[in-house]
Amino acid sequence: PCIAFVGSDEAIVDVPAIEAQMAKWPGGRLVRVQAGDHEVMMDTPETRARLFDAITAHFDAHNAARRTTAARA
């Protein structure tokens, strides 16, 4: 599983290439950050909080799924 972020105002990297890669990635999720530039994790405190909350939820969900799978084994 993968979570990736791209700013809506991204001007450095090739956003269509990121979108294409994430569309092929099993369990991949692309989050678009409104009014975000290239370094979305260096954005406003509010934006950073939302990103870190999303990252934490991503790890929590996949860690819980892994524990459930291990318990069944």
Side-chain angles (χ1 to χ4, degrees):
C2 177
I3 186 170
F5 301 90
V6 65
S8 63
D9 297 337
E10 175 62 65
I12 296 175
V13 298
D14 184 356
V15 174
I18 294 169
E19 293 168 337
Q21 180 61 43
M22 292 308 296
K24 295 186 296 187
W25 196 309
R29 180 173 153 223
L30 179 60
V31 177
R32 289 169 181 83
V33 179
Q34 285 302 92
D37 291 316
H38 179 67
E39 295 288 349
V40 293
M41 287 187 176
M42 295 175 68
D43 211 306
T44 65
E46 296 80 17
T47 298
R48 286 196 310 268
R50 284 195 319 269
L51 295 179
F52 290 127
D53 287 347
I55 292 165
T56 300
H58 174 80
F59 284 118
D60 286 348
H62 293 288
N63 189 40
R66 196 185 83 185
R67 281 193 309 255
T68 300
T69 301
R72 291 182 193 154

Coordinates of all heavy atoms in Angstrom, one line a residue:
P1 N 0.8 -1.2 0.0 CA 0.0 0.0 0.0 C 0.9 1.3 0.0 O 2.0 1.3 0.6 CB -0.8 -0.1 1.3 CG -0.5 -1.5 1.9 CD 0.7 -2.0 1.2
C2 N 0.4 2.3 -0.6 CA 1.1 3.5 -0.7 C 0.2 4.7 -0.7 O -0.9 4.6 -1.3 CB 1.9 3.5 -2.1 SG 2.8 5.1 -2.4
I3 N 0.6 5.8 -0.1 CA -0.1 7.0 -0.1 C 0.8 8.1 -0.6 O 2.0 8.1 -0.2 CB -0.8 7.4 1.3 CG1 -1.6 8.6 1.1 CG2 0.3 7.6 2.3 CD1 -2.5 8.9 2.4
A4 N 0.4 8.9 -1.6 CA 1.3 9.9 -2.1 C 0.4 11.2 -2.2 O -0.8 11.2 -2.2 CB 1.7 9.5 -3.5
F5 N 1.1 12.3 -2.1 CA 0.5 13.6 -2.1 C 1.1 14.5 -3.2 O 2.3 14.4 -3.5 CB 0.8 14.3 -0.8 CG 0.3 13.6 0.4 CD1 1.1 12.7 1.1 CD2 -1.0 13.8 0.9 CE1 0.6 12.0 2.2 CE2 -1.5 13.0 2.0 CZ -0.6 12.2 2.6
V6 N 0.2 15.2 -3.9 CA 0.7 16.1 -4.9 C -0.2 17.4 -4.8 O -1.4 17.4 -4.6 CB 0.5 15.5 -6.3 CG1 -0.9 15.3 -6.7 CG2 1.2 16.4 -7.3
G7 N 0.6 18.6 -4.8 CA -0.1 19.8 -4.7 C -0.8 20.2 -6.0 O -0.4 19.9 -7.1
S8 N -2.0 20.9 -5.9 CA -2.7 21.3 -7.0 C -1.9 22.4 -7.8 O -2.2 22.6 -9.0 CB -4.1 21.8 -6.6 OG -4.0 23.0 -5.8
D9 N -1.0 23.0 -7.2 CA -0.2 24.0 -7.9 C 1.2 23.6 -8.1 O 2.2 24.3 -8.3 CB -0.1 25.3 -7.0 CG -1.5 25.9 -6.8 OD1 -2.4 25.7 -7.7 OD2 -1.7 26.7 -5.8
E10 N 1.4 22.2 -8.2 CA 2.7 21.6 -8.5 C 3.3 22.2 -9.8 O 2.6 22.2 -10.8 CB 2.6 20.1 -8.5 CG 3.8 19.4 -8.9 CD 5.0 19.6 -7.9 OE1 4.8 19.1 -6.8 OE2 6.0 20.1 -8.4
A11 N 4.5 22.6 -9.8 CA 5.2 23.1 -11.0 C 6.5 22.5 -11.3 O 7.2 23.0 -12.2 CB 5.3 24.7 -10.8
I12 N 6.9 21.6 -10.5 CA 8.3 21.0 -10.6 C 8.3 19.6 -11.2 O 9.0 19.3 -12.1 CB 9.1 21.0 -9.3 CG1 9.2 22.5 -8.8 CG2 10.4 20.3 -9.4 CD1 9.9 22.7 -7.5
V13 N 7.4 18.7 -10.7 CA 7.4 17.4 -11.2 C 6.2 17.2 -12.2 O 5.3 18.0 -12.3 CB 7.3 16.4 -10.0 CG1 8.5 16.5 -9.1 CG2 6.0 16.6 -9.2
D14 N 6.2 16.0 -12.9 CA 5.2 15.7 -13.9 C 4.0 15.1 -13.2 O 4.0 13.9 -12.9 CB 5.9 14.8 -14.9 CG 5.0 14.4 -16.0 OD1 3.8 14.8 -16.1 OD2 5.5 13.7 -16.9
V15 N 3.0 15.9 -12.9 CA 1.8 15.4 -12.2 C 1.1 14.2 -13.0 O 0.7 13.2 -12.4 CB 0.8 16.5 -11.9 CG1 -0.5 16.0 -11.3 CG2 1.5 17.5 -10.9
P16 N 0.9 14.3 -14.3 CA 0.3 13.2 -15.0 C 1.1 11.9 -14.9 O 0.5 10.8 -14.8 CB 0.3 13.6 -16.5 CG 0.2 15.1 -16.4 CD 1.1 15.5 -15.2
A17 N 2.4 12.0 -14.8 CA 3.2 10.7 -14.5 C 2.9 10.2 -13.2 O 2.8 8.9 -13.0 CB 4.7 11.0 -14.7
I18 N 2.8 11.0 -12.2 CA 2.5 10.6 -10.8 C 1.1 10.0 -10.8 O 0.9 8.9 -10.2 CB 2.6 11.8 -9.8 CG1 4.0 12.3 -9.7 CG2 2.0 11.4 -8.4 CD1 4.1 13.6 -9.0
E19 N 0.2 10.6 -11.4 CA -1.2 10.1 -11.5 C -1.2 8.7 -12.2 O -1.9 7.8 -11.7 CB -2.1 11.0 -12.2 CG -2.4 12.3 -11.5 CD -3.0 13.4 -12.3 OE1 -3.0 13.3 -13.6 OE2 -3.6 14.3 -11.7
A20 N -0.5 8.5 -13.2 CA -0.4 7.3 -14.0 C 0.2 6.2 -13.1 O -0.3 5.0 -13.0 CB 0.3 7.4 -15.3
Q21 N 1.3 6.5 -12.4 CA 1.9 5.5 -11.6 C 1.0 5.1 -10.4 O 0.9 3.9 -10.1 CB 3.3 6.1 -11.0 CG 4.0 5.1 -10.1 CD 4.4 3.8 -10.9 OE1 4.8 3.9 -12.0 NE2 4.2 2.7 -10.2
M22 N 0.4 6.0 -9.8 CA -0.4 5.7 -8.6 C -1.7 4.9 -9.1 O -2.2 4.1 -8.3 CB -0.8 7.0 -7.9 CG 0.3 7.6 -7.2 SD 1.3 6.5 -6.1 CE 0.1 6.1 -4.9
A23 N -2.2 5.2 -10.3 CA -3.3 4.4 -10.8 C -2.9 2.9 -11.0 O -3.8 2.0 -10.9 CB -3.8 5.0 -12.1
K24 N -1.7 2.6 -11.3 CA -1.2 1.3 -11.5 C -0.8 0.6 -10.2 O -0.7 -0.6 -10.1 CB 0.0 1.2 -12.4 CG -0.3 1.7 -13.8 CD 0.9 1.5 -14.7 CE 2.0 2.4 -14.3 NZ 3.2 2.3 -15.3
W25 N -0.6 1.3 -9.1 CA 0.0 0.8 -7.9 C -1.1 0.1 -7.1 O -2.0 0.7 -6.6 CB 0.6 2.0 -7.1 CG 1.5 1.6 -6.0 CD1 1.2 0.6 -5.0 CD2 2.8 2.1 -5.7 NE1 2.3 0.6 -4.1 CE2 3.3 1.5 -4.5 CE3 3.5 3.1 -6.3 CZ2 4.5 1.8 -4.0 CZ3 4.8 3.4 -5.8 CH2 5.2 2.7 -4.6
P26 N -1.0 -1.2 -6.9 CA -2.0 -1.9 -6.1 C -2.0 -1.3 -4.6 O -1.0 -1.2 -4.0 CB -1.5 -3.3 -6.0 CG -0.5 -3.5 -7.2 CD 0.1 -2.1 -7.3
G27 N -3.2 -0.9 -4.2 CA -3.3 -0.3 -2.9 C -2.8 1.1 -2.9 O -2.7 1.7 -1.8
G28 N -2.6 1.7 -4.0 CA -2.1 3.1 -4.1 C -3.2 4.1 -3.9 O -4.3 3.9 -4.4
R29 N -2.9 5.2 -3.3 CA -3.8 6.3 -3.1 C -3.1 7.6 -3.3 O -2.1 7.9 -2.7 CB -4.4 6.2 -1.7 CG -5.4 7.3 -1.5 CD -6.1 7.1 -0.1 NE -6.5 8.3 0.4 CZ -6.4 8.8 1.6 NH1 -5.8 8.0 2.5 NH2 -6.8 9.9 2.0
L30 N -3.6 8.4 -4.2 CA -3.1 9.8 -4.5 C -4.0 10.8 -3.9 O -5.2 10.8 -4.2 CB -2.9 10.0 -6.0 CG -2.3 11.3 -6.4 CD1 -0.9 11.6 -5.8 CD2 -2.3 11.5 -7.9
V31 N -3.4 11.6 -3.0 CA -4.2 12.7 -2.4 C -3.7 14.0 -3.0 O -2.5 14.3 -3.0 CB -3.9 12.7 -0.9 CG1 -4.7 13.9 -0.2 CG2 -4.3 11.4 -0.3
R32 N -4.7 14.8 -3.6 CA -4.4 16.1 -4.1 C -4.6 17.1 -3.1 O -5.6 17.2 -2.5 CB -5.2 16.3 -5.3 CG -4.8 15.4 -6.5 CD -5.9 15.5 -7.6 NE -5.5 14.6 -8.7 CZ -5.7 13.3 -8.7 NH1 -6.3 12.7 -7.7 NH2 -5.3 12.5 -9.8
V33 N -3.5 18.0 -2.9 CA -3.6 19.0 -1.9 C -3.9 20.3 -2.5 O -3.1 20.8 -3.3 CB -2.2 19.1 -1.1 CG1 -2.2 20.2 -0.1 CG2 -1.8 17.7 -0.5
Q34 N -5.1 20.8 -2.2 CA -5.6 22.1 -2.8 C -4.6 23.2 -2.4 O -4.3 23.3 -1.3 CB -7.0 22.4 -2.3 CG -8.1 21.5 -3.0 CD -8.0 21.7 -4.5 OE1 -7.3 20.9 -5.2 NE2 -8.7 22.6 -5.0
A35 N -4.3 24.0 -3.4 CA -3.4 25.1 -3.3 C -2.0 24.7 -2.8 O -1.2 25.6 -2.3 CB -4.0 26.2 -2.4
G36 N -1.7 23.5 -2.9 CA -0.3 23.0 -2.5 C 0.7 23.2 -3.6 O 0.4 23.0 -4.8
D37 N 1.9 23.5 -3.2 CA 3.0 23.6 -4.1 C 3.8 22.3 -4.1 O 3.3 21.3 -3.8 CB 3.9 24.8 -3.7 CG 3.2 26.1 -3.9 OD1 2.6 26.3 -5.0 OD2 3.3 27.0 -3.1
H38 N 5.1 22.4 -4.5 CA 5.9 21.2 -4.6 C 6.1 20.5 -3.2 O 6.0 19.3 -3.1 CB 7.2 21.5 -5.3 CG 8.1 20.4 -5.4 ND1 7.8 19.3 -6.3 CD2 9.3 20.1 -4.8 CE1 8.8 18.4 -6.2 NE2 9.7 18.9 -5.3
E39 N 6.5 21.2 -2.2 CA 6.8 20.7 -0.9 C 5.5 20.8 0.0 O 5.4 21.6 0.9 CB 7.9 21.4 -0.3 CG 9.2 21.2 -1.0 CD 9.8 19.8 -0.8 OE1 9.3 19.0 0.0 OE2 10.8 19.5 -1.6
V40 N 4.5 19.9 -0.2 CA 3.3 20.0 0.5 C 3.5 19.8 2.0 O 2.7 20.3 2.8 CB 2.2 19.1 -0.1 CG1 1.8 19.5 -1.5 CG2 2.7 17.6 0.0
M41 N 4.5 19.1 2.4 CA 4.7 18.9 3.8 C 5.4 20.1 4.5 O 5.6 20.1 5.7 CB 5.5 17.6 4.1 CG 4.8 16.4 3.9 SD 5.7 15.0 4.4 CE 4.5 13.7 4.1
M42 N 5.7 21.1 3.7 CA 6.2 22.3 4.2 C 5.2 23.5 4.0 O 5.6 24.6 4.1 CB 7.6 22.6 3.5 CG 8.6 21.6 3.8 SD 10.2 21.9 2.9 CE 10.8 23.4 3.6
D43 N 4.0 23.1 3.8 CA 2.9 24.1 3.6 C 2.5 24.7 4.9 O 3.2 24.6 5.9 CB 1.8 23.4 2.9 CG 1.0 24.3 2.0 OD1 0.5 25.3 2.4 OD2 0.8 23.9 0.8
T44 N 1.3 25.2 5.0 CA 0.8 25.8 6.2 C 0.6 24.8 7.3 O 0.5 23.6 7.0 CB -0.6 26.4 5.9 OG1 -1.6 25.4 5.6 CG2 -0.6 27.4 4.8
P45 N 0.6 25.2 8.5 CA 0.4 24.3 9.6 C -0.9 23.4 9.5 O -0.9 22.2 9.8 CB 0.3 25.2 10.9 CG 1.1 26.4 10.5 CD 0.9 26.6 9.0
E46 N -2.0 24.0 9.0 CA -3.2 23.3 8.8 C -3.1 22.2 7.7 O -3.5 21.1 7.9 CB -4.3 24.3 8.4 CG -4.7 25.3 9.4 CD -3.7 26.5 9.5 OE1 -2.9 26.7 8.5 OE2 -3.7 27.2 10.5
T47 N -2.4 22.5 6.6 CA -2.2 21.5 5.6 C -1.3 20.4 6.1 O -1.6 19.2 5.9 CB -1.5 22.2 4.4 OG1 -2.4 23.1 3.8 CG2 -1.2 21.1 3.3
R48 N -0.2 20.8 6.8 CA 0.7 19.7 7.4 C -0.1 18.8 8.3 O 0.1 17.6 8.3 CB 1.9 20.4 8.1 CG 2.9 21.0 7.2 CD 4.2 21.2 7.8 NE 4.1 22.0 9.1 CZ 4.2 23.3 9.2 NH1 4.4 24.0 8.1 NH2 4.1 23.9 10.3
A49 N -0.9 19.4 9.2 CA -1.7 18.6 10.1 C -2.6 17.6 9.4 O -2.7 16.4 9.7 CB -2.6 19.5 11.0
R50 N -3.3 18.1 8.3 CA -4.1 17.1 7.5 C -3.3 16.0 6.9 O -3.7 14.9 6.8 CB -4.9 17.9 6.4 CG -6.0 18.7 6.9 CD -7.0 19.2 5.8 NE -6.3 19.6 4.6 CZ -6.0 20.9 4.4 NH1 -6.2 21.9 5.2 NH2 -5.4 21.2 3.2
L51 N -2.1 16.4 6.3 CA -1.3 15.4 5.7 C -0.8 14.3 6.7 O -0.9 13.1 6.5 CB 0.0 16.0 5.1 CG -0.3 16.9 3.9 CD1 1.0 17.5 3.3 CD2 -1.1 16.2 2.8
F52 N -0.3 14.8 7.9 CA 0.2 13.9 8.9 C -1.0 13.0 9.5 O -0.8 11.9 9.8 CB 1.0 14.6 10.0 CG 2.3 15.1 9.5 CD1 2.6 16.4 9.6 CD2 3.2 14.3 8.8 CE1 3.9 16.9 9.2 CE2 4.4 14.7 8.3 CZ 4.7 16.1 8.5
D53 N -2.2 13.6 9.6 CA -3.3 12.8 10.0 C -3.6 11.7 8.9 O -3.9 10.6 9.3 CB -4.6 13.7 10.2 CG -4.5 14.5 11.4 OD1 -3.6 14.3 12.3 OD2 -5.3 15.5 11.5
A54 N -3.6 12.1 7.7 CA -3.8 11.1 6.6 C -2.7 10.0 6.6 O -3.0 8.8 6.4 CB -3.9 11.7 5.2
I55 N -1.5 10.4 6.8 CA -0.4 9.4 6.9 C -0.5 8.5 8.0 O -0.4 7.2 7.9 CB 1.0 10.1 6.9 CG1 1.2 10.9 5.6 CG2 2.1 9.2 7.2 CD1 2.4 11.9 5.6
T56 N -0.9 9.0 9.2 CA -1.1 8.2 10.4 C -2.2 7.2 10.2 O -2.1 6.1 10.5 CB -1.3 9.1 11.6 OG1 -0.2 10.0 11.8 CG2 -1.6 8.3 12.9
A57 N -3.3 7.7 9.6 CA -4.5 6.8 9.4 C -4.1 5.7 8.4 O -4.5 4.6 8.6 CB -5.6 7.6 8.8
H58 N -3.3 6.1 7.4 CA -2.8 5.1 6.4 C -2.0 4.0 7.1 O -2.3 2.8 7.0 CB -2.0 5.7 5.4 CG -1.3 4.8 4.4 ND1 -2.0 4.3 3.3 CD2 -0.1 4.3 4.3 CE1 -1.2 3.5 2.6 NE2 0.0 3.5 3.2
F59 N -1.1 4.4 7.9 CA -0.2 3.4 8.6 C -1.1 2.6 9.6 O -0.9 1.4 9.8 CB 1.0 4.0 9.3 CG 2.1 4.4 8.4 CD1 2.4 5.7 8.2 CD2 2.7 3.4 7.6 CE1 3.5 6.0 7.4 CE2 3.7 3.7 6.8 CZ 4.1 5.1 6.6
D60 N -1.9 3.2 10.4 CA -2.8 2.6 11.3 C -3.7 1.5 10.7 O -3.8 0.4 11.1 CB -3.7 3.5 12.1 CG -2.9 4.4 13.1 OD1 -1.8 4.0 13.4 OD2 -3.5 5.4 13.6
A61 N -4.3 1.9 9.5 CA -5.2 0.9 8.8 C -4.4 -0.3 8.3 O -4.9 -1.4 8.5 CB -5.9 1.6 7.7
H62 N -3.2 -0.1 7.8 CA -2.5 -1.2 7.2 C -1.8 -2.0 8.3 O -1.6 -3.2 8.1 CB -1.5 -0.7 6.1 CG -2.3 -0.2 5.0 ND1 -3.0 -1.0 4.1 CD2 -2.5 1.1 4.5 CE1 -3.6 -0.3 3.2 NE2 -3.4 1.0 3.4
N63 N -1.5 -1.4 9.4 CA -0.9 -2.1 10.5 C -2.0 -3.0 11.1 O -1.7 -4.2 11.5 CB -0.3 -1.2 11.6 CG 0.5 -1.9 12.6 OD1 1.2 -2.9 12.3 ND2 0.3 -1.5 13.9
A64 N -3.2 -2.5 11.3 CA -4.3 -3.3 11.8 C -4.6 -4.4 10.9 O -4.9 -5.6 11.4 CB -5.5 -2.4 12.0
A65 N -4.6 -4.2 9.6 CA -4.9 -5.3 8.6 C -3.8 -6.4 8.7 O -4.1 -7.6 8.7 CB -5.0 -4.7 7.2
R66 N -2.6 -5.9 8.9 CA -1.5 -6.9 9.0 C -1.6 -7.7 10.3 O -1.4 -8.9 10.3 CB -0.1 -6.1 9.0 CG 1.1 -7.1 8.7 CD 2.3 -6.3 8.8 NE 2.6 -6.4 10.3 CZ 3.6 -5.7 10.9 NH1 4.4 -5.0 10.2 NH2 3.7 -5.8 12.2
R67 N -2.0 -7.1 11.4 CA -2.1 -7.8 12.6 C -3.3 -8.9 12.5 O -3.1 -10.0 13.0 CB -2.4 -6.9 13.8 CG -1.2 -6.2 14.3 CD -1.5 -5.5 15.6 NE -2.6 -4.7 15.6 CZ -2.6 -3.4 15.5 NH1 -1.5 -2.7 15.5 NH2 -3.7 -2.6 15.5
T68 N -4.4 -8.5 11.8 CA -5.5 -9.4 11.6 C -5.1 -10.6 10.8 O -5.4 -11.7 11.1 CB -6.7 -8.6 11.0 OG1 -7.0 -7.6 11.8 CG2 -7.8 -9.6 10.7
T69 N -4.3 -10.3 9.8 CA -3.8 -11.4 8.9 C -2.9 -12.3 9.7 O -3.0 -13.6 9.6 CB -3.1 -10.8 7.6 OG1 -4.0 -10.0 6.9 CG2 -2.6 -11.9 6.7
A70 N -2.0 -11.8 10.5 CA -1.1 -12.6 11.2 C -1.8 -13.4 12.3 O -1.4 -14.6 12.5 CB 0.0 -11.7 11.9
A71 N -2.8 -12.9 12.9 CA -3.6 -13.6 13.9 C -4.3 -14.8 13.3 O -4.5 -15.8 14.0 CB -4.6 -12.7 14.6
R72 N -4.7 -14.7 12.0 CA -5.3 -15.9 11.3 C -4.4 -17.0 11.0 O -4.8 -18.1 10.8 CB -6.0 -15.4 10.1 CG -7.2 -14.5 10.3 CD -7.9 -14.1 9.0 NE -8.8 -13.0 9.3 CZ -9.2 -12.1 8.4 NH1 -8.7 -12.2 7.2 NH2 -10.0 -11.2 8.7
A73 N -3.1 -16.6 10.9 CA -2.1 -17.6 10.4 C -1.8 -18.6 11.4 O -2.0 -18.6 12.6 CB -0.9 -16.9 9.9

